[in-house]
Amino acid sequence: MTGGPTPTPIAPADIAASAAAVLRRNDLGGWTKPAPRLYPHQWSWDSAFIAIGLAHLDTRRAAMELRTLFASQWATGMVPHIVFNPDIPLGSYSPGPERWDCANLAAAAPPAPPHTSGLCQPPVHAIAAWRIWEVAQHGDDPARDDALTFLRELYPRFLAWHRYLATRRDPEGSGLVTIFHPWSGLDNSPRWDPVLAAIAVGDLPSYTRSDTQHVVDTSQRPTTEEYDRYLWLVELLKRARYDETVVYRSYPFLVKDVLFSGILVAANEALLAIAAEIKAPADDRRLITEWVERGRRGLEGCWDPELGLCLDQDVRAGTPVRDRTIGGFAPLVAGEMAPDRRAALLETMDSPAFLGHPQLRWPVPPSTSPDESGFRPRSYWRGPTWPFLTWLLWWSLVRADETERAARLRRAALDQIATVGFAEYVEPFTGEPLGSADQSWTAAVALDWLAADGVS
Ligand code: 9WN
């Protein structure tokens, strides 16, 4: 048990080998746990980022990471945010499969085991699949053939996943994905505070947290009040038997998540590239193109000119959530902005509210702007920097041909990793590593950054 990982500096030349060793140690066969002890199951978007890193070690193993995850896809197309490891004792992570009870309650859940959770995380998977394909182009013929087989096999699953998000999670046809729970990526972000504040916790069955047994400095993790609300929302989802139509009618936490939606746009572009490669029907391609356009229009409608960021929308209250967080850069992730919008967003990125903040140890994006009242430099999504999200912004800058900015971000991110190791998240001012050590997706994005340089 630790209060936070000890900084373990790595010589720049050793980062690739150390990152590969982290992924090897966290490898449980066909999939990778996000962290050695804190997260012992398979997580959806972790696996996508992990596959991006694994691609540089072994494209077949990278493909396997996504195959394993998608084997637990629900009949609706939803990819659950956790696939529970049947080999570890109940109580190793909470809430565990018995609390979610999806196989019993949800008509669409796959046969168990493995059991799954009843939520989902951002759809980075098609982006990862495309990265695997790109890397396989530098391999031998059998590796390329296998990668093509993988794309053909997973394409219908990706399409069903994106269709799920475009329909059941967007019945309004707004282009924006509705999340049902803070466990949709950025758990305790201040983005959800006003929505959670309006929720009264009812008769909540007792629970024991496992996270605070691994991270003993509880200031780094969500509070008890937050956890009560998280667990209460799970109870409400269970009452709705995880049926989106019922959830939409009566449930208190419905948020149009701009970062999730921006990632979906980028993932739909990756899916279009995959569709072209495997010669998918023209109708599919038209549909995916429509999703891309609708997504960008939806994000455009969430722009806040005063903050120079894109804002989440509280569906029940009908109001935007006016917080400056990393989620506000969603249009950059989605790509293809009007020149003035792009200039405004980059100005926000460079400003003291983000990368230009004078106290930052490295110019990498804090999860919440230090200028926000909800900013907490040690608390999970309320301030710390998360290397995999730095990667997402870097990747988006590369796509936007912002070569110089991208190079600066990559240099700072690799310097951070060389100084503190593969921490889950990092205190933005002091550079203290927080959460878990040897976090898989941190190692994975390091490999991708190094490959971009031809170093690995
Ligand atoms: C709940 C695994 C996951 C990430 C999430 C991150 C955290 C879980 C938790 O860990 O969430 O899903 O127990 O806090 O917020 O983004 O996928 O790394």
Side-chain angles (χ1 to χ4, degrees):
M1 292 203 301
T2 58
T6 316
T8 40
I10 312 169
D14 294 340
I15 293 180
S18 305
V22 166
L23 291 181
R24 228 179 2 256
R25 284 197 297 275
N26 290 341
D27 188 331
L28 290 180
W31 61 278
T32 311
K33 55 185 172 176
R37 283 172 295 281
L38 183 58
Y39 306 118
H41 306 290
Q42 184 172 26
W43 260 262
S44 168
W45 73 330
D46 294 67
S47 271
F49 286 103
I50 289 165
I52 288 169
L54 285 175
H56 301 291
L57 304 174
D58 176 353
T59 47
R60 291 184 183 91
R61 175 61 188 81
M64 172 79 76
E65 188 77 25
L66 295 177
R67 278 195 174 104
T68 316
L69 178 71
F70 275 77
S72 289
Q73 186 170 26
W74 286 31
T76 49
M78 185 181 84
V79 177
H81 100 292
I82 304 175
V83 178
F84 289 103
N85 178 356
D87 295 333
I88 63 153
L90 286 180
S92 309
Y93 177 84
S94 69
E98 72 295 350
R99 185 82 177 209
W100 290 95
D101 204 16
C102 292
N104 182 33
L105 293 172
H115 291 270
T116 76
S117 72
L119 297 169
C120 58
Q121 290 180 322
V124 186
H125 315 90
I127 297 172
W130 186 250
R131 197 57 139 201
I132 294 170
W133 170 250
E134 284 176 331
V135 177
Q137 300 315 297
H138 306 295
D140 53 18
D141 285 350
R144 275 198 301 276
D145 290 350
D146 285 357
L148 191 60
T149 306
F150 158 71
L151 291 188
R152 287 210 177 97
E153 186 189 318
L154 271 273
Y155 170 79
R157 291 186 172 269
F158 293 148
L159 188 64
W161 170 215
H162 292 193
R163 190 192 302 277
Y164 166 80
L165 294 172
T167 55
R168 289 178 189 250
R169 292 305 188 103
D170 187 20
E172 307 88 348
S174 67
L176 301 168
V177 179
T178 307
I179 61 162
F180 295 166
H181 200 288
W183 284 334
S184 304
L186 276 57
D187 303 11
N188 75 334
S189 173
R191 297 161 77 192
W192 326 129
D193 286 356
V195 193
L196 290 175
I199 296 172
V201 176
D203 191 11
L204 182 64
S206 67
Y207 66 92
T208 309
R209 285 177 67 167
S210 58
D211 60 328
T212 44
Q213 290 162 26
H214 299 292
V215 181
V216 285
D217 172 8
T218 52
S219 71
Q220 295 174 33
R221 294 285 309 178
T223 62
T224 306
E225 290 68 35
E226 283 158 359
Y227 248 75
D228 281 355
R229 285 187 162 71
Y230 301 161
L231 269 300
W232 176 242
L233 289 174
V234 172
E235 289 309 310
L236 295 180
L237 287 170
K238 286 162 74 174
R239 286 183 196 174
R241 302 182 87 86
Y242 299 102
D243 178 328
E244 291 81 6
T245 315
V246 179
V247 170
Y248 240 85
R249 270 204 301 269
S250 59
Y251 180 79
F253 189 100
L254 298 179
V255 180
K256 292 288 182 190
D257 178 333
V258 289
L259 184 60
F260 201 125
S261 308
I263 291 173
L264 179 58
V265 173
N268 271 322
E269 289 207 312
L271 193 58
L272 267 180
I274 296 172
E277 202 60 51
I278 66 160
K279 303 186 177 36
D283 280 354
D284 284 7
R285 294 196 234 170
R286 265 193 296 276
L287 180 66
I288 303 167
T289 306
E290 251 174 63
W291 290 339
V292 168
E293 287 164 2
R294 197 193 297 170
R296 291 206 177 114
R297 273 199 307 275
L299 290 171
E300 179 62 27
C302 300
W303 179 252
D304 184 295
E306 205 183 314
L307 297 182
L309 286 170
C310 195
L311 299 180
D312 301 303
Q313 311 290 316
D314 178 345
V315 175
R316 285 277 177 256
T319 50
V321 183
R322 294 196 87 250
D323 270 326
R324 280 166 296 178
T325 72
I326 194 161
F329 294 103
L332 183 66
V333 178
E336 301 239 336
M337 285 164 286
D340 56 337
R341 178 71 75 252
R342 173 188 175 124
L345 201 56
L346 293 175
E347 194 185 319
T348 308
M349 184 180 281
D350 293 341
S351 77
F354 284 96
L355 297 184
H357 194 281
Q359 280 169 269
L360 287 188
R361 170 85 188 264
W362 293 278
V364 293
S367 46
T368 298
S369 165
D371 291 352
E372 264 314 303
S373 59
F375 173 78
R376 302 281 177 276
R378 296 170 63 79
S379 170
Y380 215 34
W381 291 103
R382 291 185 182 275
T385 61
W386 288 69
F388 85 98
L389 278 189
T390 306
W391 182 92
L392 187 67
L393 285 197
W394 166 78
W395 179 80
S396 306
L397 287 168
V398 171
R399 277 185 2 119
D401 287 328
E402 284 291 336
T403 320
E404 256 315 298
R405 274 199 173 78
R408 276 202 302 274
L409 202 54
R410 178 176 164 281
R411 269 196 305 275
L414 284 172
D415 187 35
Q416 184 188 57
I417 286 175
T419 311
V420 302
F422 303 105
E424 187 182 6
Y425 43 101
V426 180
E427 214 271 9
F429 298 151
T430 64
E432 180 192 357
L434 301 170
S436 178
D438 290 349
Q439 185 81 5
S440 298
W441 59 13
T442 309
V445 298
L447 285 171
D448 196 64
W449 271 319
L450 293 172
D453 205 21
V455 176
S456 68

